Each structure stands twice: as C-alpha cells, then as structure tokens.
Amino acid sequence: MIIDKPWISGPRELLVHGIQHLELTTGFDNRMAMISIDNSVELMIKTYLGLPKRITKIEGLTRKRFEEVTSTFPNLLDGFEEFANNKLNGIELGDIEWFHRLRNQLYHDGNGITVEKEKVEAYAEIAKILFENLFAVQVEQSGDETIHHNLTGEFIKIWADIEKLNLSKFASGSAQPMMRFRMLAEKGQLSNIQAKRLDDIRRLRNDLVHGINSPTKLELKNAIQDLIEIYKTLEKVTSA
C-alpha cells in the first residue's frame, strides 16, 4: 500500500467518491459522480498551486497572485496554465472547462438535468491523468480501492499516453500533438496511414469528450487497438 502525502488525501477522496458513484446505475449517481469529480479537479489544482515552492519549483506565484488565481474557476485554469504548464501532458484545459460548465448546470438547474454516463467516464479518466501528473501517483495505487476501468476510460488514457511520449527530438516541443504526428509522418517515423488514423481518432475523442457523438463499443475497441499499435511504433521512435 502506498501512503499518501498529506495534501493528496482530499482531492483523492473526492475523485474516488465520484468514481464509486459512477459505478452505480442511476441518473442520480451519474450527476453526483460528475459533481464530485469536478470538485476533485478544482481542489487538486488549488492544492498543487498552493504547495511550498520546494515541492513544486514554481516561480513567481506570490500569496496575492495565488488569491487572484484561485478566485474563480476560469482564473484557476489560466493560472494553472501559466505556472504549471509542464503538468498538462495528456490534458486539455478546454476539456476541463467544458466539463466544469456541465457540472454547474447539473448543480444549479436541479434534478431535471441528466448527464450521460460516457461523459462522466471521460471526465473521470481526465481527472485521474491530472492527479497522476500533479502528485506522481496513480489513483489506483494510492489506496486499497479497486478503480473500475471501462472502454471510455481506456480510450482516453491510451490517447493521453501517446501525447505524453517525448517526441521533441523529432518534432517541435511547442507544436500541438497532431502537428507533431504530421511532422513525424513527413520524416518517415510514422506512416501516413497512422497519422491519418490519429487524426480520425482525435476527432472521435473530441466528439466523445464534448458530448457531440457517442461512439459505439466497437468503434472504441477498434480505436483502442489502433492506438496501442501506434503507441508501440512511437515508443520505438523515442527509444531509438
């Protein structure tokens, strides 16, 4: 059993609580899961930014600036991007902001609002990735609970794993992921077919995360399998 750092326990408990609701089957539990997961995301960012400089190595975040950054959720995301940009591997802040707005609808508009389980599963996986980025421990490994895995979560995670690969020696580190993949294809490190498939899967991911379309189980399984094979190719490129 891995013992949590004292500042990890609050965000982790909220995240696990949300995931436990998600494993149940009612609309109420989906709503509670979304609210709890979003609360955990907000708390983990605030917690990380508020840690001592000796831990985070963050420069320039004064007490006054911290109070400004944590005053609203949009300010929090802006501050996170400004002071902890290196913790955003596999994370898109636009996704988190979109989910937070959905959470606000659920919280303020009453019981008439529902949320699809797939959306909550996607947010749960993003929250788990963020937790690992910030605190260097996986949620599954920081306690006795067994965290449920699902196709949506597996899909989001493998995409994030690909984005986390260090491709800077083959493509500009400042380039967006899809631009890096295109650069790799141009250099022959990735086939054009693989680059095109990544582009298609990227749209599938965004549609899923933003609730535009819900892919079928077969589409998710095929995407996961293709991403695993592409990950193996890119892993060889980075280790060469």
Side-chain angles (χ1 to χ4, degrees):
M1 176 178 176
I2 297 175
I3 303 300
D4 287 342
K5 296 288 187 180
W7 54 83
I8 291 177
S9 60
R12 180 181 170 275
E13 286 173 4
L14 279 171
L15 180 53
V16 170
H17 178 72
I19 293 171
Q20 288 171 340
H21 270 291
L22 182 57
E23 292 175 344
L24 302 176
T25 59
T26 70
F28 168 79
D29 285 299
N30 288 344
R31 291 195 298 273
M32 291 303 297
M34 174 63 80
I35 291 169
S36 186
I37 291 166
D38 186 73
N39 288 346
S40 78
V41 166
E42 183 171 3
L43 181 58
M44 67 176 79
I45 296 174
K46 285 181 177 178
T47 297
Y48 182 79
L49 293 179
L51 289 174
K53 178 182 172 182
R54 285 185 177 87
I55 296 172
T56 63
K57 314 301 182 187
I58 291 176
E59 299 284 349
L61 185 55
T62 63
R63 182 182 297 273
K64 180 180 179 181
R65 186 75 178 98
F66 177 77
E67 291 175 356
E68 292 171 351
V69 163
T70 56
S71 62
T72 68
F73 195 82
N75 284 354
L76 183 65
L77 295 186
D78 289 343
F80 185 42
E81 187 172 27
E82 177 182 352
F83 293 105
N85 188 263
N86 62 321
K87 299 297 182 179
L88 289 174
N89 283 337
I91 298 290
E92 295 188 19
L93 290 179
D95 294 341
I96 292 177
E97 188 166 13
W98 187 87
F99 280 117
H100 180 72
R101 291 177 182 178
L102 179 59
R103 174 263 186 201
N104 283 345
Q105 285 183 302
L106 295 174
Y107 189 80
H108 295 295
D109 294 348
N111 293 330
I113 303 295
T114 60
V115 59
E116 293 88 346
K117 191 181 181 83
E118 290 79 8
K119 290 180 183 177
V120 192
E121 288 173 342
Y123 198 19
E125 193 60 43
I126 290 170
K128 286 160 63 178
I129 293 166
L130 179 62
F131 186 92
E132 183 178 355
N133 286 359
L134 294 178
F135 305 124
V137 60
Q138 294 181 3
V139 175
E140 295 93 330
Q141 295 180 352
S142 56
D144 294 329
E145 296 89 346
T146 299
I147 303 300
H148 174 66
H149 286 279
N150 52 72
L151 281 175
T152 300
E154 188 176 356
F155 173 59
I156 297 294
K157 184 179 186 306
I158 186 62
W159 180 270
D161 287 344
I162 286 176
E163 288 195 345
K164 287 180 180 182
L165 286 170
N166 182 14
L167 304 174
S168 58
K169 63 180 178 180
F170 300 101
S172 171
S174 62
Q176 292 299 311
M178 286 312 306
M179 184 59 69
R180 295 184 197 177
F181 301 146
R182 293 188 187 107
M183 291 177 181
L184 287 168
E186 290 173 0
K187 295 178 180 181
Q189 302 288 350
L190 195 65
S191 74
N192 289 326
I193 292 175
Q194 288 175 316
K196 173 65 166 58
R197 181 59 175 145
L198 281 169
D199 207 15
D200 292 339
I201 293 175
R202 171 80 171 182
R203 285 194 291 270
L204 181 73
R205 176 203 177 277
N206 289 344
D207 285 352
L208 169 64
V209 168
H210 297 150
I212 298 172
N213 285 308
S214 294
T216 65
K217 288 184 178 180
L218 180 59
E219 286 176 321
L220 280 177
K221 288 179 179 178
N222 289 339
I224 290 168
Q225 186 58 47
D226 290 342
L227 286 174
I228 289 172
E229 292 303 315
I230 292 171
Y231 181 89
K232 291 176 181 177
T233 299
L234 292 173
E235 194 174 33
K236 289 178 182 177
V237 168
T238 60
S239 61

